[in-house]
Amino acid sequence: MNITVIGTGYVGLVTGACFSKMGNKVYCVDIDENKIENLKNNIMPIFEPQLEDIVKTSQKRGDLIFTTDIGEALDNTNIIFIAVGTPMADDGSANLDYIFSAARDIAENISHESIVVIKSTVPVGTAFKVKEEIEKNCDVKIDIASNPEFLKEGNAVNDCLRPDRVVIGAESDDVFEILKELYSSFVSNHDRFICMDIKSSEMTKYVANAMLATKISFMNEIANICEVTGADVKNVRLGIGSDKRIGYDFIYAGCGYGGSCFPKDVQALINTSRVNGYEPKILSTIEEVNNNQKMVLVNKVVDRFGSDLSGLTFSIWGLSFKPYTNDVREATSLTVISSLIDKGAKIKAYDSHAIEEFKKTIDDKYLDSIEFFDNRYDVLNNCDALILITEWKEFRNPDFEIIADKLNKSIIFDGRNIYNKKIQQRGFELYQIGC
């Protein structure tokens, strides 16, 4: 099939690349000329395992075309995916400016009947507004559909190529069948197709992320209760995760979630609910719990060293909001590092992929107090404690003798509970979450 994907962010780039890998001809369109030129030269705007290899191969084969010319793309395709960003507005709602800009661009350039598929995460009812926006600005007939993405950063390519489900919201059987055919290369078991009305499809994405955020915040609250009662949240997790109704996924206690999806989508769902006259009590608490959780490591440092951290330097392992991505949006590292600096501390930081994004994201006023390193052990020299924020695999089994030798004091604040308490027998002070 011939496809246009509008937007080359996480969703658009991964989706377009994976469709092209299966032999479809894909035009990836973006207004950012610099980004498109880099992609033509196989320079990725994001770090995502496997993505660069797929892009290189598909471009060489001629199945993946990056362009700023939406007219050229639409002339040669009949399925159009909108995969632009929907960032959080000041009031917590989803900012749909990019969505409607894409709709107007489609209306100005479309020349034949096509299916327009909303891949971006959008509030309930947005697809119909997009259809209205296109149809009032052109005479070409279009079908509208919703096909939310369920890609995990750091595993997005695998999630796209081997989805556990494909949700399609549409108004006609013909659209369902065309999109099923498009995804047939990824899904051999047709039970994985879930077809529904468009509004339910749009809601499904928000509810999925809100449910996962709920599990994380719930377990973090339990971790805090475990600390004050003397229980161990790691043992509690084993005890409840064995219940198949609960399962082990997303019940790891830690120092808070971040990223571009959970915070934004929870707030957008809250906003949608309130606009429609319902006050969502559980959802309103999820983000409050998570924001408080991002301060847990800071509070533990203050309990150990006091509220005035002047003269102290802390090593940070991990800046991205999760492993296998360079994304630092809403990352716990931003909260921890800025809070420690506000209390007088200096910071030495290491992350294998996220340093440059972190520099762009954190307030410039903090940069003079941070020194960045490209080696996980060099960052420890003459520091008063190690603070682990992101659980990259390279941090799981480090050489603790080197850590002890380089740190001024053998102190580790483990924000992801990845270390065994047995290291305390080697002279380490170990501070974890909920245990």
Side-chain angles (χ1 to χ4, degrees):
M1 293 187 177
N2 293 344
I3 303 161
T4 290
V5 179
I6 301 175
T8 58
Y10 251 103
V11 176
L13 182 55
V14 172
T15 300
C18 289
F19 279 143
S20 71
K21 179 180 173 68
M22 297 303 180
N24 299 287
K25 188 164 188 175
V26 180
Y27 290 82
C28 281
V29 180
D30 203 292
I31 61 173
D32 187 331
E33 295 181 0
N34 185 60
K35 180 189 282 189
I36 290 297
E37 194 60 34
N38 282 339
L39 284 166
K40 287 179 178 179
N41 291 296
N42 300 312
I43 300 172
M44 299 300 102
I46 57 174
F47 170 70
E48 187 65 38
Q50 303 180 65
L51 181 60
E52 184 176 349
D53 289 340
I54 294 175
V55 169
K56 285 181 179 179
T57 301
S58 293
Q59 281 204 98
K60 185 176 181 180
R61 201 172 55 228
D63 288 333
L64 183 59
I65 300 166
F66 294 105
T67 181
T68 58
D69 187 346
I70 190 171
E72 174 196 7
L74 298 189
D75 282 345
N76 291 286
T77 60
N78 55 11
I79 302 177
I80 307 163
F81 283 90
I82 298 178
V84 297
T86 55
M88 185 165 57
D90 291 340
D91 63 357
S93 65
N95 183 333
L96 300 179
D97 289 349
Y98 300 122
I99 292 286
F100 289 110
S101 177
R104 288 188 290 272
D105 287 342
I106 291 170
E108 291 172 5
N109 291 277
I110 196 168
S111 59
H112 54 267
E113 292 186 13
S114 301
I115 300 172
V116 176
V117 186
I118 311 296
K119 196 75 174 169
S120 305
T121 303
V122 294
V124 175
T126 301
F128 293 115
K129 294 177 182 178
V130 168
K131 183 179 182 181
E132 180 182 353
E133 183 72 21
I134 295 172
E135 289 184 337
K136 78 179 183 181
N137 288 295
C138 74
D139 297 325
V140 178
K141 179 184 180 299
I142 66 159
D143 287 298
I144 196 75
S146 167
N147 173 220
E149 53 84 17
F150 300 97
L151 308 179
K152 299 185 294 293
E153 291 187 35
N155 198 55
V157 171
N158 283 332
D159 287 340
C160 192
L161 294 175
R162 288 174 283 278
D164 54 13
R165 82 283 204 195
V166 176
V167 174
I168 302 170
E171 298 180 285
S172 75
D173 290 339
D174 288 344
V175 173
F176 282 127
E177 291 308 311
I178 290 171
L179 293 180
K180 280 184 178 181
E181 182 182 352
L182 175 62
Y183 276 104
S184 62
S185 301
F186 305 147
V187 181
S188 57
N189 183 348
H190 278 248
D191 291 341
R192 294 189 180 184
F193 287 109
I194 304 174
C195 297
M196 60 182 70
D197 63 281
I198 289 175
K199 287 187 175 182
S200 296
S201 174
E202 291 170 326
M203 178 63 83
T204 295
K205 173 57 188 293
Y206 279 112
V207 174
N209 279 351
M211 174 60 77
L212 297 175
T214 301
K215 291 183 73 174
I216 296 170
S217 285
F218 175 81
M219 205 61 191
N220 283 335
E221 184 143 274
I222 295 302
N224 296 335
I225 297 172
C226 285
E227 279 201 24
V228 298
T229 59
D232 188 326
V233 73
K234 290 189 284 188
N235 291 333
V236 173
R237 177 183 176 275
L238 293 174
I240 67 170
S242 58
D243 187 329
K244 63 183 179 181
R245 297 170 299 176
I246 298 173
Y248 290 107
D249 292 338
F250 288 87
I251 59 170
Y252 288 91
C255 52
Y257 63 75
S260 62
C261 292
F262 287 2
K264 171 178 71 72
D265 291 353
V266 169
Q267 286 297 325
L269 188 53
I270 290 170
N271 182 268
T272 295
S273 178
R274 288 174 175 165
V275 166
N276 286 277
Y278 180 80
E279 182 60 33
K281 297 179 179 61
I282 293 176
L283 291 175
S284 298
T285 305
I286 293 169
E287 275 295 285
E288 179 184 353
V289 171
N290 188 60
N291 289 334
N292 291 339
Q293 198 67 20
K294 290 181 179 181
M295 287 296 295
V296 166
L297 283 176
V298 177
N299 294 336
K300 288 179 180 294
V301 170
V302 168
D303 288 343
R304 172 61 178 80
F305 291 98
S307 58
D308 184 1
L309 302 178
S310 301
L312 297 175
T313 303
F314 297 97
S315 298
I316 302 292
W317 273 4
L319 299 172
S320 58
F321 86 93
K322 64 181 287 188
Y324 313 112
T325 178
N326 62 344
D327 195 346
V328 301
R329 286 173 288 183
E330 303 291 334
T332 297
S333 62
L334 295 167
T335 299
V336 171
I337 289 174
S338 60
S339 297
L340 293 177
I341 293 173
D342 285 340
K343 296 180 183 301
K346 297 291 185 182
I347 299 296
K348 294 183 178 181
Y350 166 76
D351 188 292
S352 57
H353 289 87
I355 288 176
E356 293 308 313
E357 288 302 314
F358 185 86
K359 289 178 181 178
K360 296 175 190 175
T361 306
I362 196 167
D363 193 309
D364 288 345
K365 69 180 182 180
Y366 294 111
L367 288 174
D368 287 343
S369 298
I370 309 171
E371 189 176 0
F372 297 94
F373 291 79
D374 58 8
N375 181 282
R376 60 178 168 163
Y377 292 122
D378 290 346
V379 76
L380 304 171
N381 289 325
N382 299 315
C383 287
D384 296 289
L386 165 63
I387 302 174
L388 183 139
I389 296 178
T390 313
E391 64 277 31
W392 289 92
K393 283 187 178 179
E394 65 179 299
F395 301 147
R396 290 187 175 272
N397 290 295
D399 189 322
F400 287 103
E401 290 186 9
I402 293 178
I403 294 174
D405 181 62
K406 287 180 173 288
L407 289 175
N408 295 333
K409 304 179 181 70
S410 298
I411 301 174
I412 297 177
F413 295 90
D414 176 8
R416 300 298 175 183
N417 290 353
I418 67 174
Y419 295 133
N420 194 305
K421 287 186 176 181
K422 289 182 179 179
I423 68 170
Q424 293 172 321
Q425 299 171 10
R426 302 166 67 173
F428 278 89
E429 290 181 43
L430 178 64
Y431 299 91
Q432 295 182 304
I433 311 293
C435 49

